[in-house]
Amino acid sequence: MAIGNNQTSLTSSGFGLELKDIDLAELDDNTKSILVEGFYASGGAILIRNQQHLTPKQLCDFVSLFGSVEKNEKYDPNFLEPDFPEVLRIGNLMEDGQRKALWIKSDEERLWHSDDTFRHPQPIGSCLFCVTAPPTGGETWFAGMGEAYDDLTFEIKQKIKPLTALHSYNHLNEFLRKTNPHRPPLSSEMRKNLPPITRPLVVEHPVTHKKALCVTNIHIEAISDLDETEARVLLNDLLDHATKPEFVFSHAWKPGDLIVWDNRCAMHAPSPFDENKYNRLMYRLTMNGEQVIPDGN
Ligand SMILES: [Fe+2]
């Protein structure tokens, strides 16, 4: 859907915007305001293509429009760009038998999540920049949690309003280890540094003040006042709703494509590709900033 000469909505609900005719190497004040306004108006995901000329420094400058850029201390330094620890390489890149990028094998199951809801403060968003893409597979899916929340019935909104969920990195790590046996269990130090935290199922965005669902079920160990079965049924129902086609777009990457998203109101999910046949390399930058307003009231 075209909503302006240089903007195209990526879903029928209005979630997601492609911004055209933008060069992120030239961040003048006008461009900055188009980017920031577009980011919030999009419901939390903007796509910009043809940026293959960007340097790591220019990527950092761009991402810093939305928050402070994280230094990726928790990742293997071999996965970070030299002199730019803000830039984490993700993919199947190898050199001399050593992994040079964080490799998370995806399977057909769509693992919807907002990044790191198990820590507080949570990173408020991330940017993925495509360096190398397979000709098929490796797409990333995005879903708008504000649009999905708005579309819930009054009864469901009332039901979930008081509920909180326990988000746990260990829960996620054990889940990922089933398909990624190379991934080690968390050390006791990591478990101590990242204990489970509580978040409501409905949050309020600190900038737009729109409410959004927070239903990252692969991070969620339990929901307040519900037994395990009830919690899983509710989470699955909410996730099914939130990932209906009108709230979702999938992006098939080309080198130079860039998407920046807002973890406070958008989820995303990876797709597999044939890693024995093709290479995929993405740069990811993550930003910190103002947190969601917890009770959503
Ligand atoms: Fe992610």
Side-chain angles (χ1 to χ4, degrees):
M1 181 178 23
I3 58 170
N5 283 344
N6 299 318
Q7 299 189 0
T8 305
S9 185
L10 299 172
T11 65
S12 62
S13 66
F15 168 67
L17 271 186
E18 178 174 354
L19 304 181
K20 295 174 182 162
D21 301 328
I22 283 191
D23 181 354
L24 297 179
E26 308 284 337
L27 285 182
D28 57 30
D29 287 347
N30 183 46
T31 306
K32 284 180 188 173
S33 65
I34 290 170
L35 291 165
V36 172
E37 281 168 27
F39 181 66
Y40 293 118
S42 70
I46 54 175
L47 162 66
I48 302 153
R49 302 180 199 260
N50 302 318
Q51 303 297 314
Q52 38 284 68
H53 52 287
L54 291 185
T55 62
K57 165 84 170 67
Q58 287 167 330
L59 275 173
C60 292
D61 290 346
F62 163 66
V63 174
S64 68
L65 295 178
F66 310 100
S68 63
V69 189
E70 201 167 274
K71 296 263 165 105
N72 292 311
E73 283 96 350
K74 77 177 166 121
Y75 293 103
D76 184 333
N78 288 317
F79 301 162
L80 307 179
E81 277 291 282
D83 300 327
F84 289 95
E86 298 92 342
V87 179
L88 171 68
R89 293 187 292 260
I90 294 183
N92 55 340
L93 182 66
M94 304 277 285
E95 265 176 33
D96 304 325
Q98 297 284 317
R99 288 210 176 274
K100 299 297 281 182
L102 177 68
W103 171 237
I104 301 175
K105 187 175 167 62
S106 307
D107 60 22
E108 293 299 333
E109 189 187 356
R110 201 159 297 153
L111 298 182
W112 286 106
H113 64 284
S114 300
D115 290 325
D116 293 15
T117 58
F118 44 77
R119 59 177 165 123
H120 183 83
Q122 174 195 18
I124 60 162
S126 289
C127 169
L128 273 180
F129 174 74
C130 178
V131 180
T132 310
T136 178
E139 301 88 359
T140 308
W141 294 74
F142 294 88
M145 295 297 103
E147 291 71 15
Y149 174 79
D150 288 346
D151 194 53
L152 290 171
T153 63
F154 176 77
E155 289 72 25
I156 295 185
K157 285 179 181 168
Q158 289 300 107
K159 178 181 172 184
I160 63 177
K161 189 174 168 179
L163 298 179
T164 59
L166 197 63
H167 293 245
S168 151
Y169 187 37
N170 192 53
H171 182 79
L172 170 67
N173 198 59
E174 290 305 310
F175 175 82
L176 292 177
R177 273 166 42 76
K178 291 177 196 160
T179 44
N180 293 266
H182 62 276
R183 200 178 165 106
L186 290 194
S187 65
S188 53
E189 198 190 344
M190 283 288 268
R191 291 180 69 150
K192 205 172 95 199
N193 290 342
L194 283 169
I197 66 159
T198 297
R199 288 181 181 277
L201 289 187
V202 180
V203 293
E204 183 182 319
H205 195 285
V207 177
T208 65
H209 295 286
K210 266 180 72 88
K211 289 182 185 178
L213 285 169
C214 179
V215 288
T216 302
N217 65 347
I218 56 172
H219 300 173
I220 294 177
E221 251 180 36
I223 295 183
S224 57
D225 301 331
L226 300 185
D227 69 28
E228 200 179 332
T229 307
E230 289 170 328
R232 286 297 148 207
V233 168
L234 177 65
L235 281 174
N236 289 340
D237 285 352
L238 290 173
L239 199 64
D240 284 350
H241 167 80
T243 54
K244 284 181 187 166
E246 57 265 42
F247 310 126
V248 166
F249 69 90
S250 139
H251 187 64
W253 295 96
K254 299 263 184 305
D257 290 354
L258 175 155
I259 292 180
V260 58
W261 71 87
D262 189 327
N263 277 323
R264 299 166 292 189
C265 54
M267 293 183 100
H268 57 282
S271 307
F273 68 98
D274 186 344
E275 75 267 19
N276 298 315
K277 210 163 158 189
Y278 303 122
N279 291 322
R280 183 179 190 266
L281 177 62
M282 309 292 286
Y283 288 167
R284 190 181 82 186
L285 294 86
T286 298
M287 62 265 192
N288 293 316
E290 225 182 325
Q291 299 293 295
V292 290
I293 299 168
D295 66 9
N297 287 317

